Amino acid sequence: MSNIAKVDKKTYDCLMEEPPERWARSCSPRRRYDMLTTNIVESMNSVLLEARELPLSRMIDFIQVKLQRWFYKRRNEAEGTFYDVSCWVEKELKKKIDLAFTLNVFPVDSWHSRVEEEGITFLMDLNKRTCDCFLFQFDELPCIHAISAIEKRNIKKSNFCSHWSPEGSGILAEKYERQIHPVGHIDSWIVPESVKSQIVKPPDFKVPPGRRQKKRHIPATESSKITFKCGCCRRIGHNRIACIYSLAVHPFSRKHRE
């Protein structure tokens, strides 16, 4: 934090308005993986983008069919996985193996090792699953220093992953072991009399004028994916009205006004 204060004092003051436990994983008293975001909600909203135009009952049927396909697909993937860990964890470990082989490992005993990387020494404890780089503790996956020490002892890397990562325990398969069955035809439903007697009225809602918005508002913190391409010079970043490179000047262009 002292380095940030030297570069930009305003940024340092803005960060220190909130305690570091709320925005830094190294200071958090609990295990916090990566960042807290709303990507799951936004992904579900994009899936239901077209289904929102349907009636309520049809939209519920669409959600039921979509979840049924997802559960069936992920259940088959979990049952067909033969790794000791999940596919994502296996890919992350493979990315670190090549870099781990370039490090110098000096074993102290059966659990402790000293690993050197570009002149920096890291002390690593496989028994407590700790490393001076703190990635072993935060990600709960072996870092490059831990992988180099594990390979030195010829031990499985999956034994040092989080207990939420292994596939052998069936954790991922248990999440999708239940099936989502279709509701069937309306004539086959068994509806209690207490439910039939209820009269459901639409909510009191005033429809605002204008066309309803289907796409979400893009905040200023996100970069827009819309790119403009000029029809005259074929360059990206502007249209033909704002083009200043074309010989044939558009009557409403900035170059024509000048």
Side-chain angles (χ1 to χ4, degrees), residues 231-250:
C232 297
C233 65
R234 301 298 179 182
R235 299 187 181 184
I236 298 176
H238 63 276
N239 53 16
R240 63 174 60 192
I241 298 178
C243 182
I244 60 176
Y245 303 100
S246 177
L247 297 177
V249 182
H250 196 276

Side-chain angles (χ1 to χ4, degrees), residues 101-165:
F101 283 150
T102 61
L103 306 180
N104 297 323
V105 183
F106 303 95
V108 178
D109 54 21
S110 57
W111 295 108
H112 300 80
S113 299
R114 179 170 61 89
V115 183
E116 291 185 356
E117 180 188 5
E118 297 180 355
I120 304 176
T121 302
F122 296 90
L123 301 179
M124 198 269 311
D125 187 352
L126 290 178
N127 188 22
K128 296 181 179 179
R129 300 185 181 184
T130 59
C131 182
D132 287 348
C133 68
F134 292 100
L135 292 178
F136 200 179
Q137 297 91 299
F138 296 153
D139 297 337
E140 296 189 2
L141 297 176
C143 58
I144 57 175
H145 313 106
I147 291 177
S148 60
I150 292 171
E151 292 292 338
K152 194 78 173 180
R153 296 185 55 199
N154 296 325
I155 310 176
K156 281 187 175 182
K157 296 181 290 295
S158 58
N159 297 338
F160 300 92
C161 296
S162 172
H163 67 282
W164 298 107
S165 302

Side-chain angles (χ1 to χ4, degrees), residues 34-256:
D34 209 0
M35 298 174 62
L36 298 177
T37 61
T38 58
N39 290 337
I40 297 178
V41 178
E42 294 179 359
S43 300
M44 198 64 187
N45 288 335
S46 63
V47 172
L48 302 178
L49 187 61
E50 298 180 357
R52 294 176 184 174
E53 303 294 329
L54 302 175
L56 183 59
S57 59
R58 295 296 183 183
M59 186 179 68
I60 295 177
D61 293 339
F62 177 84
I63 297 174
Q64 181 267 327
V65 173
K66 183 65 69 174
L67 293 178
Q68 179 180 341
R69 292 177 180 175
W70 286 349
F71 268 65
Y72 176 77
K73 179 181 178 181
R74 285 161 174 76
R75 190 186 309 114
N76 290 342
E77 291 179 355
E79 293 176 354
T81 302
F82 301 99
Y83 296 116
D84 294 333
V85 291
S86 62
C87 297
W88 178 84
V89 174
E90 186 68 22
K91 292 180 181 178
E92 292 297 320
L93 294 178
K94 287 182 179 179
K95 293 178 183 178
K96 303 176 182 179
I97 288 178
D98 295 337
L99 186 58
F101 283 150
T102 61
L103 306 180
N104 297 323
V105 183
F106 303 95
V108 178
D109 54 21
S110 57
W111 295 108
H112 300 80
S113 299
R114 179 170 61 89
V115 183
E116 291 185 356
E117 180 188 5
E118 297 180 355
I120 304 176
T121 302
F122 296 90
L123 301 179
M124 198 269 311
D125 187 352
L126 290 178
N127 188 22
K128 296 181 179 179
R129 300 185 181 184
T130 59
C131 182
D132 287 348
C133 68
F134 292 100
L135 292 178
F136 200 179
Q137 297 91 299
F138 296 153
D139 297 337
E140 296 189 2
L141 297 176
C143 58
I144 57 175
H145 313 106
I147 291 177
S148 60
I150 292 171
E151 292 292 338
K152 194 78 173 180
R153 296 185 55 199
N154 296 325
I155 310 176
K156 281 187 175 182
K157 296 181 290 295
S158 58
N159 297 338
F160 300 92
C161 296
S162 172
H163 67 282
W164 298 107
S165 302
E167 290 279 354
S169 59
I171 294 178
L172 184 60
E174 290 177 359
K175 301 299 181 181
Y176 301 102
E177 65 178 357
R178 295 180 178 271
Q179 297 83 20
I180 299 180
H181 299 278
V183 295
H185 195 266
I186 189 174
D187 296 336
S188 62
W189 295 358
I190 301 176
V191 183
E193 293 296 334
S194 58
V195 178
K196 289 183 179 180
S197 60
Q198 294 182 2
I199 300 176
V200 181
K201 297 182 179 180
D204 296 333
F205 178 73
K206 184 178 180 181
V207 180
R211 184 180 299 177
R212 291 186 179 182
Q213 181 180 356
K214 297 181 180 180
K215 298 182 179 180
R216 69 182 185 90
H217 293 281
I218 300 178
T221 55
E222 296 184 14
S223 59
S224 178
K225 297 181 180 179
I226 301 176
T227 57
F228 297 95
K229 186 176 182 180
C230 180
C232 297
C233 65
R234 301 298 179 182
R235 299 187 181 184
I236 298 176
H238 63 276
N239 53 16
R240 63 174 60 192
I241 298 178
C243 182
I244 60 176
Y245 303 100
S246 177
L247 297 177
V249 182
H250 196 276
F252 298 104
S253 65
R254 186 186 307 169
K255 186 176 181 180
H256 186 271

